[in-house]
Amino acid sequence: MSDTRLLRRIVLGLTGSTPTVEQYEAMEAAATPAARASILRSTLDEVLASPKFYERMVNFGHDWITVGAYTTGAVGDAYQGDMSGHLFRCADSSLHPGAYYAVNEFPSGDPGQQCNDKDHAGQPAVPVVREVEPWWAPGTTVQVLGAAGSDTKTVTDSSNGTVYDCGVASGGYYDPGLPRGCGCGPNLVWCSPIAGLNSTGTGGLTSQRRHPYEEPARLFAHLAWHDRPLSDLVIGNYSVGTNWLRALYVRFGRNMGGSKQTDANTTWWRPDVGNAPRDPMHPTPNDPQAWREFVVEELEPFHLSLTPDRSRSGSIDRAFRFDPRTTTEQIQGMAAAGVLTMMGSMSSFPRERVRAARFLEIFACQNFSPPPADVHFPPLEIDPATGGTCLHCHKTLDPAAIYFKRWDFTPHASYYVPWPFLPGVGKHRITAEWISGRYPYDGSSPGARWRNAFVPNTVLTPVTPEQLKTNPEAIMLDAMPESYTLLGEHGDGTAGPLGFGKLLIRSGEFDRCAVRKLYSLVIGRDLNPATEKGFIDKLSREFVAGDRKVRPFIRYLFEQPELRRGL
């Protein structure tokens, strides 16, 4: 391959655009092989430091870590996909054009009466107008009408004395909002504007629901850009997010468990506070759309960090052991594990076996295909992992699926729990009634699904009926028993997706899969694990020796003779 073509390959492969005329002319003017080699090296360094490289990594991240739109369970524009109280905007023709108001301010709802200084009966009323700096647009102010603009933290129902926490969204199916009389909290952090942030559209970053879809690819690009270990994709305690994505994590922790821990964090929405690493496409300090790094537990306290270094993990030694077969204590949460615990990926793959299959395909390059026609299996009795043709895949899927039980969704009309939620975590304990199959837990209750899916004494649920009687929450056992093997490794007792991520790293399958993906990106062809296993292992060793950093490994691949041969 000529030097000019190699130049084109470097620039096009890592930025998505061709070299400039000046770059071609400089290569043509180089008189010696050493001079041309120097130009190639400097061009590679320049490209790897260019924001276009970050953009290329985002696109590659989408190709590799393919997830769906963040819509599961959040069917309509008004259902709590954002898990916030909703604010509406006054019409331009009203007395307060563009001001925000809450529809549940009045007993019969408010179709915009406040916007024209009227009460719920249509009679003139003195308006309460506040100027507030909103979390979604720092550095600006918006007008808020009525109680929604206040910092009122609790309200009491005069009819029955019930005290409502204003930080937990409530309301009907088509009108999730604040309890009547509540404020939206400081800087409106308990609410979101109905127009825009929680639109059903996912076609662009102007919709909040696009951001959970972006998160896995953005984390990959972040790791590549900032020279972080790529293993943090599956074992890291941190992620990256815009204000809109961060708000989803804050709302999840507040709504699901009523945790007030994040109320004290008054700067999560201020992009100019702190020095958290960010993407190169949003260098302006106060840009709320910048993809900024954050430790998940600091925004959502039920995704545990479990490491003294709260800035990021950088180690596979994080341990989280919890066995509900031997204790009746409540689990404190789920250990954060990069992509494996993101809202977008968990929503995209809404059940434990599907999650296991997709993550094995993505991060271990596993393939699931039908068995050959001449293979005979033992008869199916109860467990698809031990009998029937389904055994062909489920013997691998079910040990992996154990790790992904503790994230669920409810039918959007269900009143049992919010959407989504972590079973057994926070205020949502699992009782014997939940999995009894008896009314009222025989319909839309998530316990009805668990009863059918998590059958005792199966590979997916290695729990005895007696253990369930002692502790019904044992049905959520999410640590692979040590007697099981997956990818050639025994479980180490780590619960939840972190246990799966650690197993991916420990087995070496993550590294082998990652180098295959990166090799295909740079060299332009897939490696065959059947005929090129030795070469894949060699590349894996080089990748691990470089602390699993993407940029140095890409530089290493560009130095290989395969690139020059045009393979």
Side-chain angles (χ1 to χ4, degrees):
M1 189 182 292
S2 67
D3 291 318
T4 52
R5 189 175 174 190
L6 190 57
L7 174 70
R8 173 185 170 87
R9 190 161 191 173
I10 290 173
V11 178
L12 183 61
L14 296 181
T15 69
S17 60
T18 57
T20 64
V21 172
E22 290 76 16
Q23 286 175 311
Y24 277 128
E25 289 176 342
M27 181 63 76
E28 289 292 335
T32 65
R36 290 191 291 274
S38 177
I39 290 175
L40 290 174
R41 285 194 298 270
S42 63
T43 300
L44 179 58
D45 290 340
E46 179 184 341
V47 165
L48 289 174
S50 167
K52 288 187 176 181
F53 172 68
Y54 172 86
E55 290 184 301
R56 183 71 181 90
M57 292 298 98
V58 172
N59 293 333
F60 176 70
H62 281 305
D63 291 340
W64 180 13
I65 311 170
T66 305
V67 299
Y70 181 67
T71 54
T72 302
V75 180
D77 199 38
Y79 189 66
Q80 293 173 252
D82 56 13
M83 298 172 279
S84 300
H86 287 164
L87 291 173
F88 294 79
R89 298 196 75 172
C90 294
D92 291 341
S93 59
S94 69
L95 297 180
H96 301 280
Y100 288 95
Y101 67 97
V103 296
N104 57 346
E105 180 72 13
F106 299 136
S108 58
D110 181 9
Q113 297 277 47
Q114 296 178 80
C115 297
N116 291 301
D117 295 347
K118 296 180 180 179
D119 62 19
H120 68 279
Q123 299 301 312
V126 178
V128 177
V129 183
R130 295 178 176 88
E131 296 283 339
V132 183
E133 181 186 13
W135 65 264
W136 62 84
T140 69
T141 58
V142 295
Q143 281 192 343
V144 187
L145 307 179
S150 72
D151 290 343
T152 302
K153 295 179 173 58
T154 61
V155 294
T156 303
D157 189 329
S158 59
S159 65
N160 56 24
T162 302
V163 178
Y164 291 98
D165 179 354
C166 293
V168 178
S170 63
Y173 171 44
Y174 291 107
D175 175 27
L178 302 173
R180 187 169 296 120
C182 270
C184 283
N187 304 102
L188 309 179
V189 294
W190 298 335
C191 297
S192 71
I194 188 72
L197 289 191
N198 69 328
S199 166
T200 54
T202 56
L205 290 170
T206 55
S207 166
Q208 188 184 32
R209 284 189 181 155
R210 175 61 180 258
H211 293 234
Y213 162 79
E214 288 281 328
E215 187 181 5
R218 295 283 175 167
L219 178 59
F220 170 80
H222 183 84
L223 299 178
W225 181 255
H226 291 284
D227 289 330
R228 298 289 181 78
L230 199 59
S231 52
D232 283 352
L233 274 178
V234 294
I235 60 172
N237 67 337
Y238 63 100
S239 186
V240 292
T242 63
N243 272 17
W244 291 0
L245 181 64
R246 288 167 172 241
L248 286 177
Y249 281 98
V250 170
R251 296 307 305 150
F252 177 76
R254 199 67 169 83
N255 267 28
M256 194 210 71
S259 172
K260 298 183 181 180
Q261 172 182 314
T262 52
D263 287 357
N265 185 345
T266 60
T267 61
W268 63 262
W269 54 278
R270 293 193 179 276
D272 57 343
V273 173
N275 57 353
R278 65 179 60 207
D279 71 284
M281 310 310 297
H282 297 86
T284 305
N286 204 37
D287 190 342
Q289 296 303 311
W291 291 85
R292 312 185 314 278
E293 185 176 309
F294 64 92
V295 175
V296 180
E297 186 184 17
E298 293 178 359
L299 297 187
E300 195 281 277
F302 299 108
H303 276 80
L304 309 176
S305 184
L306 303 172
T307 173
D309 178 8
R310 296 182 63 81
S311 62
R312 64 185 192 88
S313 69
S315 169
I316 66 171
D317 295 330
R318 296 167 62 222
F320 180 57
R321 290 176 171 81
F322 183 81
D323 190 341
R325 298 172 300 180
T326 59
T327 181
T328 57
E329 293 183 1
Q330 183 177 17
I331 190 170
Q332 297 305 302
M334 173 192 291
V339 175
L340 305 180
T341 51
M342 288 179 180
M343 289 187 184
S345 54
M346 295 295 251
S347 169
S348 180
F349 314 134
R351 293 291 178 251
E352 51 285 331
R353 284 178 169 121
V354 180
R355 291 173 197 143
R358 297 293 83 81
F359 288 137
L360 283 168
E361 289 172 343
I362 292 170
F363 294 120
C365 291
Q366 295 283 300
N367 292 310
F368 294 97
S369 56
D374 58 350
V375 175
H376 298 283
F377 296 93
L380 173 63
E381 295 179 354
I382 295 176
D383 192 351
T386 59
T389 56
C390 296
L391 164 64
H392 180 69
C393 292
H394 279 264
K395 64 182 179 182
T396 300
L397 286 182
D398 285 19
I402 287 176
Y403 292 110
F404 297 102
K405 286 181 176 180
R406 207 176 286 275
W407 176 277
D408 216 310
F409 309 92
T410 63
H412 57 261
S414 173
Y415 59 86
Y416 293 98
V417 290
W419 175 95
F421 77 112
L422 294 172
V425 178
K427 60 185 179 182
H428 301 291
R429 300 298 301 269
I430 300 170
T431 64
E433 288 74 21
W434 274 57
I435 56 176
S436 67
R438 296 189 298 269
Y439 179 84
Y441 300 96
D442 57 349
S444 60
S445 163
R449 187 188 77 83
W450 303 336
R451 176 181 173 84
N452 294 324
F454 304 152
V455 180
N457 290 326
T458 59
V459 171
L460 181 61
T461 309
V463 176
T464 66
E466 290 72 24
Q467 289 170 328
L468 278 182
K469 289 180 180 178
T470 302
N471 182 16
E473 291 185 326
I475 200 170
M476 284 296 159
L477 175 69
D478 56 351
M480 193 176 79
E482 293 183 5
S483 59
Y484 286 18
T485 59
L486 178 63
L487 304 177
E489 293 288 326
H490 290 276
D492 70 349
T494 301
L498 177 62
F500 178 79
K502 291 170 64 177
L503 192 146
L504 285 173
I505 304 299
R506 196 166 64 247
S507 68
E509 292 300 325
F510 175 86
D511 299 320
R512 285 185 281 271
C513 186
V515 300
R516 287 173 60 186
K517 298 293 184 180
L518 293 171
Y519 188 91
S520 177
L521 169 70
V522 173
I523 306 299
R525 73 174 183 90
D526 295 329
L527 291 171
N528 188 328
T531 60
E532 299 177 287
K533 181 181 182 301
F535 185 49
I536 293 172
D537 289 342
K538 175 180 179 295
L539 293 177
S540 298
R541 290 191 292 271
E542 183 70 28
F543 182 57
V544 173
D547 293 328
R548 299 186 174 95
K549 296 178 180 179
V550 172
R551 204 160 10 200
F553 186 70
I554 287 178
R555 184 178 284 106
Y556 166 80
L557 289 178
F558 270 107
E559 296 170 352
Q560 302 310 301
E562 288 87 350
L563 187 74
R564 176 71 73 168
R565 292 200 297 267
L567 294 176

